[in-house]
Amino acid sequence: MTPVSSQLPDAEAARLRSLRAHDVLPTLSEPVFDEYVALTARIFSLPISLISVVTKDTVYYPANQGMPGNDQQQRVEALCSTAIAQAHTAIYCDLDREPSASIPPEAWQAAQDNELRFYAGALVFLPDQRPLGTLCIIDRRPRTFTAEEQHILELLAALVSQTIVVRHRCRAQPETDGVPWERLSNELQEEVQALNALVRYLAARFGTMVPVPATFLTQVESRIRDLQELLDDYCS
């Protein structure tokens, strides 16, 4: 087995300290993050979307669309860990054809065991801007993935990161007793559900197409920007 330490960036120790300090697993178990992964899967018409948290030895999946029971796995076996090691979005269009040097053998074998063929994971960040894990999409068939689609996935990951920051900021204000975050969380869920309805409409209009049409993605991006503005205005 390849030692995990051989795959880690130089700043890994500081990242792990920050991960422990922010204790994000309870945060990411809240309903709004389930709404985010459901939205992400729907935008790309894929069966699986996850938010991962990459710890020293284990990767956790607190928000999970499409892989019930897949709550965690060893870090060395997780494709999400490659995004942390590379410090950028990881995309594997066909895991049967990926060069072995780009993926640890344990992660490649785990993907094969789970019959996974496509993976794309964009980094999600802690409040101090250290990466905590990924927002990822997965398919059991190979798939192309355009630069425009990658841009939308990264915007969605940034939205998840921004939500974590705002929740942390709201919870750090004890005089509010958490009420602003509860209100914002409910509002966010409603807005994400509305965006999900738009995506369903666009999917009915355009059909399931790979890659996702640019016109479709442009309308989705506009609504993601609205969500970012909502977060910017709250708890500022």
Side-chain angles (χ1 to χ4, degrees), residues 77-195:
E77 296 178 350
L79 292 170
C80 294
S81 65
T82 66
I84 296 292
Q86 297 167 14
H88 59 70
T89 299
I91 300 170
Y92 308 114
C93 291
D94 187 350
L95 287 160
D96 278 0
R97 298 178 180 273
E98 281 298 322
S100 58
S102 67
I103 303 174
E106 296 87 356
W108 185 87
Q109 187 59 57
Q112 295 297 302
D113 292 344
N114 286 294
E115 300 181 337
L116 307 182
R117 295 288 297 277
F118 168 81
Y119 173 93
L123 291 172
V124 174
F125 293 91
L126 293 158
D128 62 4
Q129 294 305 299
R130 298 185 190 278
L132 70 87
T134 67
L135 172 66
C136 65
I137 46 177
I138 299 170
D139 201 357
R140 291 190 166 90
R141 296 182 295 180
R143 187 192 194 282
T144 59
F145 202 63
T146 66
E148 292 78 13
E149 289 176 307
Q150 179 179 339
H151 173 66
I152 294 298
L153 180 62
E154 289 171 347
L155 278 182
L156 289 162
L159 188 63
V160 172
S161 302
Q162 190 178 6
T163 303
I164 293 168
V165 169
V166 172
R167 182 193 183 279
H168 177 74
R169 188 181 304 154
C170 289
R171 292 294 192 184
Q173 299 172 2
E175 68 277 6
T176 66
D177 197 29
V179 173
W181 167 248
E182 299 302 332
R183 187 183 304 129
L184 174 57
S185 178
N186 290 333
E187 188 172 354
L188 278 173
Q189 288 179 67
E190 292 175 0
E191 293 294 331
V192 175
Q193 288 164 6
L195 178 49

Side-chain angles (χ1 to χ4, degrees), residues 47 78 105 202:
L202 293 172

Side-chain angles (χ1 to χ4, degrees), residues 43-115:
I43 288 171
F44 297 103
S45 298
L46 290 176
I48 302 166
S49 179
L50 310 166
I51 295 175
S52 69
V53 177
V54 181
T55 68
K56 181 180 179 182
D57 298 309
T58 307
V59 176
Y60 296 93
Y61 303 105
N64 181 329
Q65 172 78 21
M67 290 192 79
N70 182 44
D71 299 326
Q72 65 185 72
Q73 68 182 138
Q74 293 183 33
R75 177 171 177 167
V76 72
E77 296 178 350
L79 292 170
C80 294
S81 65
T82 66
I84 296 292
Q86 297 167 14
H88 59 70
T89 299
I91 300 170
Y92 308 114
C93 291
D94 187 350
L95 287 160
D96 278 0
R97 298 178 180 273
E98 281 298 322
S100 58
S102 67
I103 303 174
E106 296 87 356
W108 185 87
Q109 187 59 57
Q112 295 297 302
D113 292 344
N114 286 294
E115 300 181 337

Side-chain angles (χ1 to χ4, degrees), residues 1-37:
M1 178 179 292
T2 304
V4 172
S5 59
S6 69
Q7 303 293 327
L8 303 186
D10 293 340
E12 181 65 4
R15 188 191 75 84
L16 292 172
R17 285 195 299 271
S18 179
L19 194 59
R20 290 190 293 271
H22 286 98
D23 191 24
V24 293
L25 280 173
T27 298
L28 292 169
S29 298
E30 294 190 11
V32 66
F33 297 99
D34 290 326
E35 296 287 350
Y36 283 144
V37 294

